Amino acid sequence: MDLRNLPPDLDSFGRVSARRSMIEQELGADLSALSIDAAKLGHAEEKNCENMFGAVPIPVGIAGPLTVTLSDGTETTVYLPLATTEGALVASVNRGCKALQIGSSLSGCGPVRTASKYHGVTRSIAFQTRNQQPVTRNLIQEHEQEWKAVGEATSSHLKILSYEIDEKDDHVFLTIAADTDEAMGMNMVTIAAQAIGEWIETSFQPHPSAGVVGGVRFITVAANVDSDKKPSKRTHDKGRGYEASAICNVPSAIIQDVLKTTPEALLATAKAKLDLGSTLASALGHNCHAANIIAALYLATGQDVAHVVEGSLADTTVIEMRNSEFGIRDLQISTRLPALMIGIRGGGTTLPAQRQCLNLLLTNNSAFRIPHSELPPCRILAEVFAAAVLAGELSLLAAQSSHTLAKAHKNLGR
């Protein structure tokens, strides 16, 4: 089948329909359920998916409200669009939101509190150096301003924030971290890294008169030190993209009335699951199911869902907070997400349905800014994601501590 040789007068919708018809005829398959409304197509066929012949609908549920105090002190209430086919997930996150929402008003400690920082989007460039690693390292450092200028010239939206140099055998790895503005930016930083790699290979060759054989050979623009779409201890420890955290005190009364468990049982489950179990498995992320919430939010808002791998490196902690005045045991739950690869421009974020979910998530504001907040939209998004993960973590811990996890999936997830 030649799915590219189509009548030139077809628009995107026509091309999608024509390809589907060709595949149905050639393979004898019924693909009618993959048909798509032209108004919902956007530019997916032109920019997001090659040989597009349809779309698979993913159910989207809503959880919330969830009130969050952002890192600049701005308080906002959000609703979470969660795209998933896993029954019980939306209900679980919704219960977590309810517990955090009611608990904040009872405890007097305020809503979920979030924080974030931007590490930049990374790419690692590999060079073979023919046993000249120290020389190459020195050259990279000495010519920093030159190769940075080469990379930054590839996009007016890119700024190199930092870099690291690693050496292994006869190879040198240059990992750059870049600010990619409001885009997630992997394509942007890859193009910059390609230009940098080519410039270094060309510029760092020895002069013939030096009598030195070889020089620097540019091997690849993506050498895995950045661990793009792969788990790594480096990403867990140092962060990548946006690092965000969320924390909240949960009163004992809410644990019992909303979460249907006890502080003692929840603490015991957290110790067994998050601490001991994760340690025995040598897990890079000590969390319950952070990837569940991140994947659902990524799908709904048009993020690159493969980056849920980095998102799964989260760490969740539960500690006891004794209220000496009333003799009540409250708990404090927190989560740290070291690597959220997110944006609000480009990629799937510009498709019609995903754009509306972003709009809904960020307080129904098409400018993607929380009123009165000075934070950039992407940092707001990262902090809201952290708060959402916190709600999901709390609810699952409660379900496991009350031994109702299997029952919930039996009732809602079959």
Side-chain angles (χ1 to χ4, degrees):
M1 290 178 290
D2 186 355
L3 300 178
R4 294 172 295 178
N5 187 19
L6 301 173
D9 59 337
L10 292 178
D11 59 10
S12 290
F13 179 74
R15 289 192 294 270
V16 170
S17 300
R19 290 192 192 99
R20 186 167 60 255
S21 296
M22 293 169 65
I23 296 169
E24 287 179 323
Q25 293 174 16
E26 181 72 20
L27 302 181
D30 178 11
L31 302 174
S32 58
L34 280 79
S35 61
I36 186 171
D37 186 337
K40 299 177 181 178
L41 178 62
H43 52 57
E45 188 269 345
E46 298 167 299
K47 297 184 178 181
N48 297 90
C49 182
E50 297 77 32
N51 283 343
M52 184 176 179
F53 67 92
V56 177
I58 301 176
V60 182
I62 192 166
L66 179 60
T67 299
V68 180
T69 299
L70 302 171
S71 55
D72 67 349
T74 303
E75 185 174 302
T76 185
T77 299
V78 298
Y79 288 85
L80 309 172
L82 302 170
T84 182
T85 56
E86 181 186 350
L89 177 62
V90 177
S92 179
V93 176
N94 199 45
R95 183 176 73 152
C97 290
K98 180 180 179 180
L100 294 173
Q101 193 77 355
I102 299 175
S104 65
S105 62
L106 291 182
S107 67
C109 296
V112 176
R113 304 181 301 282
T114 59
S116 62
K117 65 175 70 171
Y118 185 50
H119 295 289
V121 181
T122 55
R123 256 303 180 218
S124 58
I125 314 164
F127 301 96
Q128 188 176 27
T129 61
R130 296 175 177 86
N131 298 315
Q132 297 292 316
Q133 297 97 317
V135 174
T136 302
R137 172 187 284 272
N138 292 339
L139 286 171
I140 290 173
Q141 293 171 334
E142 290 170 7
H143 294 272
E144 172 185 342
Q145 297 307 316
E146 295 165 75
W147 59 256
K148 278 186 176 180
V150 168
E152 291 173 355
T154 61
S155 172
S156 60
H157 296 282
L158 182 138
K159 177 71 175 178
I160 296 176
L161 302 173
S162 62
Y163 69 94
E164 291 184 278
I165 301 175
D166 294 276
E167 300 168 0
K168 183 68 175 178
D169 297 334
D170 61 345
H171 286 67
V172 169
F173 299 84
L174 170 62
T175 301
I176 61 171
D179 182 344
T180 53
D181 204 356
E182 293 186 338
M184 186 270 283
M186 277 311 308
N187 290 340
M188 196 186 305
V189 76
T190 299
I191 292 168
Q194 179 71 28
I196 291 170
E198 293 171 354
W199 185 88
I200 287 177
E201 180 180 56
T202 301
S203 302
F204 292 2
Q205 299 303 321
H207 193 275
S209 63
V212 178
V213 177
V216 177
R217 180 186 173 199
F218 174 31
I219 300 296
T220 180
V221 72
N224 272 10
V225 180
D226 52 48
S227 303
D228 185 53
K229 299 178 180 176
K230 291 167 283 292
S232 74
K233 189 175 187 301
R234 179 175 292 209
T235 298
H236 173 272
D237 294 347
K238 293 187 175 183
R240 185 170 191 249
Y242 290 90
E243 178 178 337
S245 61
I247 187 170
C248 191
N249 291 352
V250 186
S252 175
I254 296 303
I255 295 172
Q256 297 178 55
D257 296 342
V258 178
L259 299 175
K260 308 303 180 183
T261 186
T262 66
E264 293 80 7
L266 206 151
L267 275 171
T269 301
K271 179 179 180 180
K273 181 181 181 71
L274 299 175
D275 185 7
L276 303 179
S278 296
T279 300
L280 284 171
S282 298
L284 290 177
H286 291 209
N287 65 80
C288 298
H289 66 151
N292 246 341
I293 294 88
I294 293 171
L297 287 168
Y298 275 21
L299 284 169
T301 61
Q303 311 300 325
D304 186 338
V305 74
H307 285 293
V308 73
V309 174
E310 291 102 314
S312 71
L313 302 176
D315 290 316
T316 297
T317 305
V318 181
I319 62 174
E320 184 180 3
M321 302 287 289
R322 281 196 177 272
N323 189 323
S324 58
E325 181 180 355
F326 300 103
I328 298 173
R329 298 179 68 178
D330 297 341
L331 298 183
Q332 183 182 85
I333 182 169
S334 61
T335 192
R336 169 187 174 261
L337 312 178
L340 289 172
M341 302 292 289
I342 54 177
I344 62 167
R345 308 291 175 196
T349 68
T350 57
L351 296 176
Q354 288 86 337
R355 203 69 178 168
Q356 289 184 355
C357 283
L358 267 175
N359 192 359
L360 170 66
L361 182 62
L362 294 176
T363 67
N364 204 28
N365 184 335
S366 60
F368 305 122
R369 292 186 179 274
I370 300 294
H372 312 299
S373 176
E374 298 298 323
L375 293 176
C378 290
R379 279 191 61 184
I380 294 174
L381 192 64
E383 295 188 20
V384 169
F385 276 24
V389 168
L390 191 72
E393 295 285 273
L394 176 61
S395 186
L396 180 54
L397 276 174
Q400 291 190 235
S401 68
S402 62
H403 303 293
T404 56
L405 177 63
K407 179 182 178 181
H409 279 275
K410 182 178 181 180
N411 292 339
L412 299 174
R414 298 188 66 177

